[in-house]
């Protein structure tokens, strides 16, 4: 014989389980949606920045093709290194551990070429460190 | 009784004086001593000694080039060029053209505040460092052209000073990350690498390292820090031995208990005396301790000058020439010139 009060005694447990299932599936949906948004945003940013460097390198390479003496040997070397880095970038493999290293290296080489060519080019999407801290400097 | 006697107090800068550098081509063969000073007032001043009165006067003001604080200045070994590093993220190169200083080149590349600039012994390379944590090496090309050779990344924080070894092409940098890093060109194609990092595990400093200076022989180095100590380091006599590779540096001794605020500056004279300047407004001089026991201190306090300035002392520098003179730059906006009377 079932106890008359059985169902009411388990009430707390039942509701807990229902709430848990509801929360779990809600979390799964919103989590996926959020991840999708972050993925779109980061993917867009990475693509845009890589595209920017790709464009610069293509123009510089064309310039060198027309006039091999237009840039210094050192600048030409660094432009060649940028070309290699862009080709090496694992676009379809965002979880590749090399991703950040290649991007950092590209940013550095880009700064070196700009300095060497005496041009003030800046990738607009580049994360600014100068805006974060404007405290007193020593 | 040894005494540090104030010869002159120089006014002119309208903000704190950050740094100064003696022109190495002056002070002998009848050429009057010259030094440059730089300040929070965005200008650089050139000071020249009058050979008859022995006093210094401001000969030129270099302005309207840097748009923010000028943090550091350095003469090329020939004394013909002056490099100035500024919080405006640029380094300017000035040439003395018939008594007038003209800005002949501007080095751009750092992301933000440039903190220090230094020429190598032969004047063919220039190093700069910045709050962007990087150190840049530039090659001096004909026609006042400067080209970036390498960007050195390794410091985790703001790099405070760069200093070339007095004879070898080995670069030293010190940082807010409490370390001193040693950089050398490993191969033949601009391949600069960090060959040594002197930090806490190597008896290094426990807070920001502010300055580096070498003895005349180049086998010893002194560093000063926010941890209120001065540390002396040594290496084998030849920095980069032929075929033997890089000779590492090791901790020799720590001088503690002499300053009670941050030590911002240290400079080793060719005569073997090193001077330190600190936020406690005082100057200290140290010498080799001849009577030092095997385990005892290797350097002893020669002299202390309390209240040398009214505020923090940012830089102390010995002059070239036969009878070295010490100059100090301070937050109080003045520069003082001192004579060491034995």
């Amino acid at each position: 014989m079932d106890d008359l009060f059985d169902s009411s005694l388990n009430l707390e447990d039942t509701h807990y389980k229902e709430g848990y299932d509801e929360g779990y599936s809600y979390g799964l949906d919103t989590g996926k949606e959020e991840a999708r948004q972050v993925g779109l945003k980061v993917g867009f940013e990475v693509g845009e920045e890589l595209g920017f460097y790709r464009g610069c390198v293509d123009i510089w390479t064309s310039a060198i093709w027309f006039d091999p003496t237009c840039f210094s040997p050192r600048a030409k070397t660094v432009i060649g290194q940028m070309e290699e880095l862009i080709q090496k970038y694992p676009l379809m493999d965002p979880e590749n551990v090399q991703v950040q290293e290649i991007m950092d290296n590209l940013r550095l080489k880009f700064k070196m070429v700009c300095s060497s060519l005496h041009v003030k080019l800046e990738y607009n999407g580049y994360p600014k460190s100068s805006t974060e801290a404007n405290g007193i400097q020593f | 009784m040894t005494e540090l006697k104030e010869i002159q107090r120089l006014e002119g800068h309208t903000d704190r004086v950050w740094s100064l550098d003696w022109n190495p081509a002056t002070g002998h063969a009848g050429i009057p001593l010259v030094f440059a000073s730089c300040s929070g007032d965005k200008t650089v001043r050139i000071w020249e000694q009058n050979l008859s009165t022995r006093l210094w006067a401001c000969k030129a003001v270099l302005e309207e080039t840097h748009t923010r604080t000028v943090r550091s200045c350095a003469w090329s070994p020939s004394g013909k060029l002056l490099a100035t590093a500024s919080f405006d993220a640029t380094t300017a190169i000035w040439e003395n053209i018939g008594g007038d200083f003209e800005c002949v080149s501007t080095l751009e590349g750092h992301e933000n505040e440039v903190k220090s600039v230094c020429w190598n012994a032969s004047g063919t390379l220039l190093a700069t460092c910045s709050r962007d944590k990087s150190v840049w090496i530039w090659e001096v090309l004909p026609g006042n052209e400067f080209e970036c050779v390498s960007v050195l990344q390794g410091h985790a924080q703001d790099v405070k000073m760069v200093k070339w070894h007095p004879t070898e092409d080995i670069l030293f940098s010190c940082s807010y990350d409490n370390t001193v890093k040693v950089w050398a060109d490993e191969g033949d194609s601009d391949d600069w690498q960090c060959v040594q990092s002197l930090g806490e595990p190597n008896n290094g400093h426990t807070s920001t390292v502010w300055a580096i200076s070498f003895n005349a022989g180049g086998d010893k180095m002194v560093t000063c820090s926010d941890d209120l100590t001065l540390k002396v380091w040594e290496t084998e006599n030849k920095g980069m031995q032929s075929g033997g590779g890089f000779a590492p540096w090791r901790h020799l001794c720590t001088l503690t208990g002499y300053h009670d605020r941050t030590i911002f500056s240290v400079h080793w004279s060719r005569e073997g005396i090193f001077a330190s300047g600190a936020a406690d407004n005082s100057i200290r001089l140290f010498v080799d301790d001849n009577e030092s026991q095997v385990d005892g201190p290797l350097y002893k306090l020669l002299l202390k000058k309390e209240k040398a300035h009214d505020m923090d002392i940012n830089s102390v520098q010995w002059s070239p020439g036969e009878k070295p003179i010490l100059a100090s730059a301070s937050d109080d906006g003045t520069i003082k010139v001192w004579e060491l009377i034995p």
Side-chain angles (χ1 to χ4, degrees), chain B residues 116-121 125-129 134-138 150-152 155 159 161-166 168-174 180-185 192-198 212 214 221 240 246 249:
Chain B
S116 168
V117 59
C118 186
W119 302 81
N120 71 342
L125 296 170
L126 192 71
T128 57
C129 64
S134 69
V135 172
W136 288 53
I137 296 176
W138 310 78
S150 190
V151 177
L152 314 176
H155 281 295
V159 189
M161 186 188 246
V162 275
K163 199 81 169 178
W164 288 97
H165 185 269
E168 315 275 342
D169 279 344
I170 301 173
L171 183 66
F172 294 74
S173 60
C174 60
V180 174
K181 290 195 192 291
V182 191
W183 310 86
D185 192 357
W192 289 82
Q193 299 290 337
C194 178
V195 290
Q196 200 180 7
S197 184
L198 303 167
I212 302 166
F214 293 91
M221 161 174 83
M240 189 72 90
F246 170 75
W249 289 76

Side-chain angles (χ1 to χ4, degrees), chain B residues 267-334:
Chain B
H267 193 226
W268 213 323
S269 77
R270 272 163 296 110
E271 287 68 28
I273 302 172
F274 59 87
S276 61
D280 59 11
N281 310 352
S282 74
I283 295 172
R284 297 275 188 276
L285 301 182
F286 300 89
V287 282
D288 237 352
D289 189 357
N290 296 325
E291 292 128 47
S292 131
Q293 303 301 310
V294 179
D295 298 313
L298 297 157
Y299 296 89
K300 63 177 180 195
L301 184 73
L302 174 69
L303 183 150
K304 55 184 173 186
K305 188 80 189 175
E306 307 282 0
K307 294 178 188 149
H309 278 274
D310 297 334
M311 292 168 83
D312 293 11
I313 296 170
N314 295 315
S315 181
V316 283
Q317 297 290 318
W318 292 101
S319 74
E322 275 166 32
K323 208 170 156 233
I325 280 165
L326 187 74
S328 58
S330 163
D331 271 3
D332 65 18
T334 69

Side-chain angles (χ1 to χ4, degrees), chain B residues 191-210:
Chain B
D191 188 23
W192 289 82
Q193 299 290 337
C194 178
V195 290
Q196 200 180 7
S197 184
L198 303 167
E200 242 184 294
N202 328 84
N203 291 315
H205 290 288
T206 56
S207 189
T208 306
V209 189
W210 280 96

Side-chain angles (χ1 to χ4, degrees), chain A residues 25-40:
Chain A
S25 64
Y26 177 76
L28 211 60
D29 286 349
T30 51
K32 265 187 186 163
E33 182 51 31
E34 200 184 320
R36 198 180 122 82
Q37 293 303 329
V38 171
L40 276 172

Side-chain angles (χ1 to χ4, degrees), chain A residues 16-49:
Chain A
Y16 177 85
K17 176 121 188 25
E18 263 175 44
Y20 178 87
D21 289 344
E22 214 174 286
Y24 187 87
S25 64
Y26 177 76
L28 211 60
D29 286 349
T30 51
K32 265 187 186 163
E33 182 51 31
E34 200 184 320
R36 198 180 122 82
Q37 293 303 329
V38 171
L40 276 172
K41 186 172 172 283
V42 175
F44 175 79
E45 284 170 359
V46 168
E48 195 189 28
E49 188 168 359

Side-chain angles (χ1 to χ4, degrees), chain B residues 32-82:
Chain B
L33 276 167
V34 168
F35 69 89
S37 63
C38 58
S39 157
D41 67 12
K42 304 170 195 166
T43 72
V44 177
R45 283 174 177 262
I46 311 289
W47 307 85
E48 190 182 73
Q49 190 180 29
N50 182 315
L51 285 174
S52 51
T53 64
R54 318 293 296 166
L55 295 175
W56 276 264
C58 180
K59 211 183 135 215
V61 182
L62 283 50
E63 54 193 345
E64 283 163 11
T65 292
H66 287 301
T67 57
R68 288 185 64 193
T69 289
V70 186
R71 182 62 180 83
S72 162
C73 54
W75 294 95
S76 63
S78 68
K80 292 194 173 79
L81 298 173
L82 179 70

